[in-house]
Amino acid sequence: MTLLIALAITFGSATAQDKLYHNTFNLNQVELLDGPFKHAMDLNTKVLLEYDTDRLLAPFLKEAGLPKKAEYFPNWAGLDGHVGGHYVSALAIHYAATGNKECYDRLVYMIDELERCQIANGNGYIGGVPNSKQLWENLKKGDFGLFRGAWVPWYNVHKMYAGLRDAWQYAGIEKAKDMFIKFCDWGLDIISGLDDNQMEQMTGTEFGGMNEIFADAYQITGDRKYIEAAKRFRHKDIFENMADGRDNLDNKHANTQVPKAVGYARVAALDNDARAKQAAEFFWDRVANHRSVVIGGNSRSEHFPAASDYKSYVEHREGPESCNTNNMLKLTEFLFAMDPKAEYADFYEKAMYNHILSTQHPEHGGYVYFTPLRPAHYRVYSAVNQGMWCCVGTGMENHGKYGEFIYTHDGAQELRVNLFVASRLNWTENKVTITQETQFPYSESSKLTINLKKARKFRLLVRCPEWTTSGYSVKVNGQEYAAGVCSRCTAIIICSHRAQVEERRCG
Ligand SMILES: [Zn+2]
């Protein structure tokens, strides 16, 4: 397969997303243009607005002792509140990506209601976990009875932590940040009573990305108590093995493990922790290169099969789970932010096009839980206000984030084009607009039109994909690249597959 990149160079305000992720653009700086990703995002915006906010909020009001305004959703009872947390994230992401005002209004309503819950709880807590008060009080004392009998309580509340962070980060709602930090302080108080052995027992149960959350709180506040908490949530059984380069993932529940590695990557980046980096990188390599199937997804019946058992993928009706790939993309973004290797972007492309995009029904917008690899098998899609599966939660978020990784930057000096998706980047900090026109994967070319408001110089790095087997060529203003000398930019094309790096400069 070949890929032609054509560049045309002509002359001619953002919210807070980069507060945490310094190499990304705000979603409102990247406009998706017509194509499958814009279709998916627009459809998902419509679907999100069909959900009943008061029903999603009911578990939080109940646990705060406040009267509910609507009935709970009966599906996935016991994990009450998890989809509410994802929904807050999804509204924030879709508002940032599309500017849709109803997404914003709903988000403000949700945050106001959740603030009422936090005030009524009186201790910073905002959760829908059934029997919250008693369960968490007991856990703090080291009594694991109710915790073990409940459905993954930390996993559940992690979704609301992420929702509050995202309401601040993507949609700029300052109050949500304060609520997030108070909620983190509640979490610190709960684990303050537990010794290291008890932490290890507790983190043996799925806990979502609680280590990532505390790393975020550290980045926001600079207070080391949060990064220490992130490290306490590492779950040594996975962390130590991964950091030592031992794959102990056979037959383990897959999506329990991926978010742990997301947290390791964040701790590595924020605390310069080499061992955490090693653990995150080794985990990524094992899952992306040894435990994923052709669509970039992983798991069979939610578990990593033993290395000797991969044939069973073809027979099994429960193939790769959507949540796992949602989290693998996060892990990939965070590793790429530390080491922008094309290998990471190759995986991202594969999993985003072939798995994530396919997990939405193209007409009614329902979400997929499992993507079976069984030949000619069916898939099951969720219905609005009925299915409350984990993959409905991550599904709500996925289709608003397509603009997040197409372009990344390293300050004003360097722009990377990681993905070939029809889009327009408004690089406000550099007063540059870049329009990418492509039908990829239906055609094998992409045209980038770079509009500079005034002369400036930056490096443009266009990924040379792993799948280009017979050629990769670049034209600048219609000329073969070597002849395309331009006095206003320096372009370095990185032929970035694996260790092979090719640099060519103009200007
Ligand atoms: Zn799931």
Side-chain angles (χ1 to χ4, degrees):
M1 207 166 176
T2 60
L3 181 75
L4 171 71
I5 307 290
L7 290 100
I9 299 164
T10 61
F11 290 88
S13 70
T15 52
Q17 189 186 330
D18 64 354
K19 282 175 185 164
L20 292 182
Y21 312 138
H22 292 305
N23 70 328
T24 64
F25 290 100
N26 300 313
L27 279 175
N28 64 3
Q29 289 177 274
V30 184
E31 178 191 355
L32 296 186
L33 303 178
D34 282 348
F37 295 102
K38 178 170 164 42
H39 170 80
M41 181 181 70
D42 289 346
L43 177 58
N44 198 50
T45 308
K46 185 171 154 283
V47 168
L48 285 178
L49 299 178
E50 291 169 14
Y51 279 85
D52 186 325
T53 50
D54 284 326
R55 294 189 73 184
L56 290 168
L57 284 163
F60 299 93
L61 291 162
K62 178 188 174 205
E63 295 305 319
L66 297 169
K68 65 181 190 294
K69 296 180 176 178
E71 277 311 311
Y72 318 111
F73 286 116
N75 191 241
W76 278 41
L79 202 61
D80 310 61
H82 77 112
V83 168
H86 280 295
Y87 189 69
V88 171
S89 289
L91 289 174
I93 289 165
H94 283 73
Y95 166 66
T98 67
N100 183 289
K101 187 166 181 309
E102 194 176 342
C103 284
Y104 185 76
D105 292 346
R106 279 178 172 237
L107 179 61
V108 169
Y109 175 73
M110 294 281 288
I111 295 295
D112 286 349
E113 288 291 291
L114 292 164
E115 186 186 30
R116 287 209 301 130
C117 296
Q118 192 172 41
I119 291 167
N121 283 324
N123 56 2
Y125 179 68
I126 312 176
V129 178
N131 196 16
S132 280
K133 196 167 184 304
Q134 203 58 54
L135 183 152
W136 295 113
E137 268 179 25
N138 289 7
L139 180 65
K140 185 184 167 184
K141 287 185 248 161
D143 173 353
F144 282 62
L146 287 175
F147 177 81
R148 290 218 177 91
W151 193 352
V152 293
W154 282 115
Y155 168 93
N156 182 341
V157 295
H158 165 251
K159 310 310 164 203
M160 183 47 72
Y161 276 106
L164 295 169
R165 176 201 62 202
D166 292 342
W168 164 68
Q169 173 164 245
Y170 287 99
I173 298 180
E174 282 297 313
K175 179 164 85 175
K177 181 179 75 174
D178 300 336
M179 291 163 66
F180 172 78
I181 296 298
K182 281 181 194 155
F183 195 9
C184 286
D185 287 339
W186 168 86
L188 287 182
D189 183 52
I190 296 298
I191 62 170
S192 67
L194 305 179
D195 64 25
D196 287 351
N197 284 336
Q198 288 169 319
M199 282 301 289
E200 188 63 8
Q201 279 182 52
M202 187 185 79
T203 52
T205 297
E206 184 173 14
F207 60 84
M210 284 307 302
N211 48 351
E212 179 201 2
I213 289 303
F214 284 115
D216 292 338
Y218 170 62
Q219 190 176 358
I220 292 168
T221 63
D223 191 329
R224 288 204 60 84
K225 67 184 178 182
Y226 299 113
I227 198 78
E228 297 307 331
K231 292 182 180 189
R232 294 198 78 201
F233 259 100
R234 63 180 29 157
H235 189 219
K236 285 185 204 154
D237 180 48
I238 298 299
F239 181 82
E240 301 297 346
N241 278 295
M242 291 296 133
D244 288 342
R246 277 189 306 273
D247 181 339
N248 65 337
L249 299 175
D250 273 6
N251 301 312
K252 287 203 163 60
H253 184 258
N255 197 46
T256 295
Q257 319 310 330
V258 186
K260 293 174 192 170
V262 172
Y264 304 157
R266 291 285 287 150
V267 168
L270 297 174
D271 205 34
N272 199 22
D273 183 329
R275 199 159 161 78
K277 187 161 186 260
Q278 232 167 302
E281 288 173 343
F282 183 75
F283 184 94
W284 185 89
D285 175 60
R286 292 308 303 171
V287 175
N289 293 330
H290 303 275
R291 292 184 175 274
S292 293
V293 295
V294 66
I295 58 170
N298 65 72
S299 79
R300 186 215 51 204
S301 281
E302 301 196 358
H303 289 67
F304 290 122
S308 58
D309 191 27
Y310 270 60
K311 269 193 203 157
S312 61
Y313 265 111
V314 179
E315 296 153 7
H316 217 279
R317 65 178 67 181
E318 295 182 345
E321 182 188 344
S322 306
C323 290
N324 308 18
T325 302
N326 165 290
N327 283 308
M328 279 301 288
L329 294 189
K330 270 184 213 162
L331 175 60
T332 305
E333 284 180 35
F334 294 148
L335 291 173
F336 185 89
M338 287 187 276
D339 293 313
K341 293 184 198 164
E343 186 184 8
Y344 292 133
D346 285 337
F347 172 80
Y348 199 102
E349 176 184 69
K350 178 165 68 178
M352 185 175 104
Y353 273 84
N354 296 296
H355 192 196
I356 292 296
L357 183 62
S358 79
T359 60
Q360 180 199 51
H361 190 285
E363 286 154 13
H364 64 65
Y367 308 111
V368 165
Y369 195 147
F370 299 115
T371 300
L373 300 182
R374 206 179 190 189
H377 198 65
Y378 59 84
R379 290 202 288 186
V380 178
Y381 293 92
S382 65
V384 171
N385 288 322
Q386 291 181 39
M388 290 290 137
W389 327 321
C390 52
C391 295
V392 167
T394 48
M396 286 174 163
E397 299 178 28
N398 282 334
H399 309 289
K401 288 180 79 177
Y402 291 128
E404 189 150 280
F405 192 67
I406 303 171
Y407 309 97
T408 53
H409 64 84
D410 182 5
Q413 306 306 316
E414 189 171 283
L415 178 74
R416 286 173 188 272
V417 179
N418 301 316
L419 300 174
F420 305 109
V421 174
S423 55
R424 183 175 295 117
L425 168 68
N426 187 8
W427 193 2
T428 40
E429 297 82 353
N430 225 3
K431 296 190 170 49
V432 174
T433 310
I434 296 183
T435 304
Q436 183 175 180
E437 295 166 85
T438 182
Q439 303 288 319
F440 178 74
Y442 303 109
S443 75
E444 297 174 5
S445 68
S446 186
K447 181 180 175 185
L448 301 169
T449 302
I450 301 170
N451 191 296
L452 306 165
K453 290 213 174 79
K454 63 177 192 175
R456 63 187 58 251
K457 196 171 179 176
F458 61 92
R459 298 197 298 171
L460 180 71
L461 292 92
V462 181
R463 182 176 62 101
C464 172
E466 178 186 20
W467 45 260
T468 51
T469 51
S470 60
Y472 174 81
S473 66
V474 177
K475 287 182 178 175
V476 177
N477 289 336
Q479 303 293 312
E480 285 301 330
Y481 178 63
V485 175
C486 164
S487 62
R488 291 177 181 82
C489 71
T490 298
I492 298 184
I493 308 303
I494 289 212
C495 175
S496 48
H497 177 45
R498 305 293 179 259
Q500 182 195 352
V501 176
E502 177 192 333
E503 292 191 358
R504 286 184 292 176
R505 287 164 186 266
C506 73

